[in-house]
Each structure stands twice: as structure tokens, then as C-alpha cells.
Amino acid sequence: MSDAGLPPEHGETAASPGGDEPSSPVPDLPGLAGFISLGSTIATCVAVGVLLGIGLDQWLSISPWGLLAGLVLGVATAVVSVQKLVRRWL
């Protein structure tokens, strides 16, 4: 019998439609790394802004205004940083 049209068994690689190279079971890692970079950039910017705001609150006793200012600045920094990262891919 012929196995034409059947999916490959576990551990086997299927030939690409051109027949030259086997298809890769590994996902597109550069794309995944880009999304990880975006997420970590956003999280880092916001976290640093919040921590600086909390420190400002404790230092000047102006709670919650330092936290709010730090949060706004962290989000603004994250937006600018993400724009710079995305422009590389466009």
C-alpha cells in the first residue's frame, strides 16, 4: 500500500511540497523572541516607574501621587520603547 496523503508518524519528517527539504517541526523562534522582547520591555518600564513612584511617596510623604506619577511615566516610557522596537520590524 502507498502512504501518500497520510500525515507522517511521530518522529518522522514530512517532505516539503517542493520535495527538496523536510519541513521543520521547530516554530518560528525569531518571531517568538520579538514578542518576548515586547512583553519584557513593557513589564520592565511599568515596574520601574511604579517602584520609583513608591519610593518617591515614601521619601516625600505624598502618597498616592508619587505612585500615580510613576505609573504614568512608566506607561509613557513603555509606549515609546515599544514604538522603537516595532519600527525595526516595519
Side-chain angles (χ1 to χ4, degrees), residues 9-13:
E9 294 295 322
H10 182 69
E12 295 179 4
T13 58

Side-chain angles (χ1 to χ4, degrees), residues 1-89:
M1 278 195 173
S2 173
D3 288 336
L6 295 177
E9 294 295 322
H10 182 69
E12 295 179 4
T13 58
S16 63
D20 298 327
E21 300 175 12
S23 64
S24 174
V26 178
D28 185 22
L29 291 180
L32 179 63
F35 284 117
I36 291 172
S37 174
L38 285 174
S40 63
T41 298
I42 293 169
T44 302
C45 290
V46 173
V48 168
V50 166
L51 291 174
L52 289 175
I54 290 172
L56 190 65
D57 277 342
Q58 291 178 353
W59 183 47
L60 299 176
S61 299
I62 57 171
S63 185
W65 300 110
L67 173 63
L68 293 174
L71 181 63
V72 168
L73 290 175
V75 169
T77 304
V79 168
V80 171
S81 297
V82 167
Q83 282 180 340
K84 287 181 181 180
L85 286 173
V86 169
R87 283 185 187 172
R88 281 194 278 171
W89 296 320

